[in-house]
Amino acid sequence: DQQVKQNSPSLSVQEGRISILNCDYTNSMFDYFLWYKKYPAEGPTFLISISSIKDKNEDGRFTVFLNKSAKHLSLHIVPSQPGDSAVYFCAASAIKNKLIFGTGTLLAVQP
Amino acid sequence: SQTIHQWPATLVQPVGSPLSLECTVEGTSNPNLYWYRQAAGRGLQLLFYSVGIGQISSEVPQNLSASRPQDRQFILSSKKLLLSDSGFYLCAWSVSAEAFFGQGTRLTVV
């Protein structure tokens, strides 16, 4: 039972354009959502998060949007840079802060 | 500042051999500790979760076990490895919602 889903395994974007990464979840008990970035053979690094009481959180080039009614969140990267190329994971948390991750989206930013 | 140490970085083990991966956290007290596995081409699967010494939650039935003998030490073990245990194992800690990961261990069972 995949509670957090990233339906796009990969995404290719031109440098300078917007990257939009999507994530859907099924558990209505999730109250905190996070995005992580991962390079090969390394641990994921935390990017940005959003609480369920908000619908938008912005940090520099990164913005996360949350649509609770649709159980959907997205990560926008603007402008995209070649160094953003990595696997992006969304994650969700309910009670006890146990994080459930999606399957990841490989972002390739073309120079 | 908080740091997390996970070792070894890579490991090649024969089928049927035992496994012990260790993770330690510095600079924080009573963290939540996690073991995740990333199989080839797949996402991060939560294997074990601990909220305190001796308190382990297993998320999926499998050939692995976990122990937390000290507040900031988390150990992943197996008595007999299977080929399907190959993957990238990640330890993580948290005190709030954000989790912070170690560098991972690439385990290859041959």
Side-chain angles (χ1 to χ4, degrees):
Chain A
D1 177 28
Q2 190 72 31
Q3 297 185 67
V4 180
K5 302 177 184 179
Q6 293 175 257
N7 293 318
S8 297
S10 63
L11 175 67
S12 182
V13 172
Q14 287 291 318
E15 181 179 4
R17 306 294 289 268
I18 184 171
S19 295
I20 300 177
L21 299 128
N22 294 303
C23 180
D24 298 294
Y25 61 96
T26 58
N27 190 340
S28 58
M29 297 299 293
F30 288 144
D31 59 4
Y32 204 78
F33 303 90
L34 308 93
W35 284 95
Y36 284 79
K37 177 180 180 180
K38 185 182 181 301
Y39 294 115
E42 294 184 9
T45 54
F46 170 72
L47 266 180
I48 192 170
S49 62
I50 187 167
S51 164
S52 60
I53 63 173
K54 295 185 176 181
D55 55 19
K56 178 182 175 181
N57 188 27
E58 191 171 354
D59 183 2
R61 296 186 297 115
F62 302 91
T63 303
V64 56
F65 295 92
L66 176 62
N67 182 334
K68 290 188 292 294
S69 61
K71 293 190 175 68
H72 177 84
L73 66 154
S74 61
L75 175 68
H76 292 208
I77 306 174
V78 148
S80 300
Q81 300 172 354
D84 296 329
S85 297
V87 177
Y88 288 79
F89 289 97
C90 68
S93 171
I95 57 172
K96 298 184 180 180
N97 301 321
K98 184 172 66 175
L99 278 182
I100 305 298
F101 282 81
T103 50
T105 297
L106 175 62
L107 173 65
V109 180
Q110 309 296 333
Chain B
S1 64
Q2 299 90 354
T3 56
I4 179 169
H5 303 279
Q6 183 183 341
W7 67 92
T10 59
L11 190 60
V12 180
Q13 292 284 99
V15 169
S17 64
L19 172 73
S20 181
L21 301 181
E22 189 164 342
C23 172
T24 59
V25 180
E26 296 177 359
T28 187
S29 295
N30 197 31
N32 297 322
L33 295 173
Y34 311 79
W35 279 110
Y36 286 88
R37 176 172 61 199
Q38 184 182 23
R42 304 186 67 179
L44 295 171
Q45 182 185 36
L46 179 61
L47 301 177
F48 298 97
Y49 169 70
S50 173
V51 298
I53 296 174
Q55 301 178 61
I56 311 292
S57 296
S58 175
E59 296 299 310
V60 292
Q62 59 201 317
N63 186 41
L64 302 168
S65 62
S67 61
R68 185 171 177 173
Q70 300 181 46
D71 180 46
R72 290 169 288 177
Q73 183 185 27
F74 207 23
I75 298 172
L76 182 69
S77 304
S78 174
K79 293 182 179 178
K80 290 185 178 182
L81 284 169
L82 306 172
L83 286 174
S84 58
D85 292 324
S86 294
F88 191 56
Y89 289 82
L90 289 154
C91 180
W93 69 273
S94 73
V95 292
S96 59
E98 291 88 3
F100 300 92
F101 286 81
Q103 288 300 295
T105 297
R106 170 69 60 191
L107 172 66
T108 304
V109 182
V110 296

